[in-house]
């Protein structure tokens, strides 16, 4: 599975220590359903609009996609990220997500030489 690693500038405080190293992974369908369930159960995005709603939704997805070395996955909740993630670190993770997306797109593109070879073998048959 594709992953992207990075380092937070300000880090996340947890149990009296600071943590900086993180990894992001693609969002699976199960992860997306879990994020939507969390948003529905907690009511975090009810009666909010615009940028706040977008950020809370993003954090719900990240709670499923983000791994921080030294912090248990179940502790990386929307509320934890909202109250502990610095704005600059939020931007760093966004950049990592874009890089992951680019890697995924690049991995899905076929090799032109291999495509030509496959096309020529079909024609020859």
């Amino acid at each position: 599975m594709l992953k992207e690693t990075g380092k937070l500038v300000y880090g996340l405080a947890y149990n009296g220590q600071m943590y900086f190293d993180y990894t992001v992974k693609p969002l699976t369908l199960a992860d997306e359903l879990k994020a939507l369930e969390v948003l529905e159960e907690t009511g975090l995005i009810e009666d909010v609009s615009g940028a706040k709603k977008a950020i809370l939704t993003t954090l719900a997805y990240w709670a499923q996609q983000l791994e921080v070395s030294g912090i248990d996955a179940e502790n990386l909740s929307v509320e934890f990220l909202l109250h502990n993630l610095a704005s600059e670190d939020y931007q760093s993770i966004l950049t990592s997500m874009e890089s992951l997306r680019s890697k995924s797109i690049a991995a899905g593109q076929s090799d032109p030489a291999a495509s030509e070879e496959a096309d020529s073998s079909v024609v020859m048959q």
Side-chain angles (χ1 to χ4, degrees), residues 22-114:
Y22 70 88
T23 303
V24 292
K25 64 182 179 94
L27 187 69
T28 65
L29 289 173
D31 293 337
E32 185 165 4
L33 291 174
K34 173 106 178 179
L36 294 172
E37 184 179 292
V38 165
L39 289 172
E40 186 177 306
E41 286 177 357
T42 60
L44 282 171
I45 59 172
E46 289 178 15
D47 303 324
V48 296
S49 61
K52 186 173 182 179
K53 185 174 187 174
I55 289 171
L56 290 170
T57 301
T58 297
L59 293 178
Y61 290 137
W62 287 1
Q64 309 308 311
Q65 296 176 270
L66 180 66
E67 299 170 1
V68 178
S69 298
I71 302 177
D72 295 329
E74 61 271 4
N75 292 315
L76 290 174
S77 66
V78 176
E79 292 86 1
F80 175 81
L81 293 172
L82 180 64
H83 295 289
N84 293 283
L85 189 64
S87 182
E88 190 169 336
D89 287 338
Y90 179 90
Q91 293 301 321
S92 294
I93 296 171
L94 276 178
T95 300
S96 293
M97 288 293 189
E98 283 301 316
S99 178
L100 180 65
R101 191 171 294 116
S102 295
K103 282 182 181 180
S104 178
I105 291 169
Q109 294 178 350
S110 61
D111 177 13

